[in-house]
Every structure is written in C-alpha cells, then in structure tokens.
Amino acid sequence: MFCKNCGSQIDDNASVCIHCGASVREMQTTQQQPAQSNTLAIVGFVFAFLMPLVGLICSIIGLKKSKELNDNGKGLAIAGIIISVIEILIVIIAIIAIVVPLMAALSEAGAFAFAL
C-alpha cells in the first residue's frame, strides 16, 4: 500500500507511515467509502433520448441529488437536461410545421366547399 500523505510504499499492516509519520488507519477509513452512483442522473440521460419530458424531470432531480453525492452524476444530469430541452423544442417546431400548413389547407378546402 502507499501512503496518501507522502506517496511512499509502506507495509499493508502498518499503522503509521515510516517515512512521514502519518497515521495509516485514518487514511484507510477515508479511502474505503464506496462512491454512490446517481441513478436518477443516469435514468434522466437515457430517457432524454426516449421520452424527453421524463428525461427532463429525472435529470433535474438527479442534478439536485448530485449536490448530496459530491457532484457524482452532475455531468450526466446536465447533459440529460440539455438533450431533453432540445428534443422538446424540436418536437414543438415539428408540430407547428405540420399543423399550421394542415390547418391552412383544411380552411382552404372548407372555403372551396362553401363556394360550390
């Protein structure tokens, strides 16, 4: 094992670093904590491609949760928010691009039917 204080190699059973005197027990307790994953950030990122509204909601919650998890998943959550918003805007623009000409064509057909 290596000392986290000075980087020197020390015995795995040592309680104190023989090079710098730092306590190894304290280093072992701090490094043994497993990193928690931010599941909502991951889910939000995936759903941003499949169902943008669900992805947006999960990504926002994942971003708020990332503060509790030492910014774990923050990048995924931000990416999920950005992708979701872009996809929602594309859908809105596509609907407008399809509905407006369709309504205009239907109104012209209706006016033509009344003229006959």
Side-chain angles (χ1 to χ4, degrees):
M1 146 170 78
F2 292 93
C3 176
K4 296 289 181 184
N5 190 39
C6 68
S8 300
Q9 187 171 5
I10 55 176
D11 184 38
D12 289 342
N13 297 325
S15 59
V16 177
C17 175
I18 59 172
H19 303 283
C20 68
S23 175
V24 177
R25 301 277 180 229
E26 293 173 10
M27 288 187 272
Q28 288 177 341
T29 57
T30 58
Q31 74 184 33
Q32 295 298 327
Q33 298 173 352
Q36 294 179 343
S37 64
N38 192 341
T39 308
L40 280 173
I42 297 168
V43 169
F45 180 75
V46 171
F47 273 104
F49 295 101
L50 305 173
M51 292 187 283
L53 186 58
V54 175
L56 180 64
I57 293 167
C58 289
S59 293
I60 291 171
I61 296 170
L63 182 63
K64 290 184 182 276
K65 190 175 179 181
S66 72
K67 294 175 185 172
E68 299 169 9
L69 300 173
N70 297 327
D71 290 339
N72 189 2
K74 183 178 180 180
L76 273 178
I78 292 172
I81 291 170
I82 292 170
I83 293 168
S84 295
V85 168
I86 290 172
E87 284 201 33
I88 290 170
L89 290 175
I90 288 172
V91 168
I92 290 171
I93 291 169
I95 289 172
I96 291 171
I98 292 170
V99 170
V100 170
L102 184 62
M103 294 302 287
L106 289 175
S107 68
E108 286 180 19
F112 180 72
F114 285 121
L116 292 177

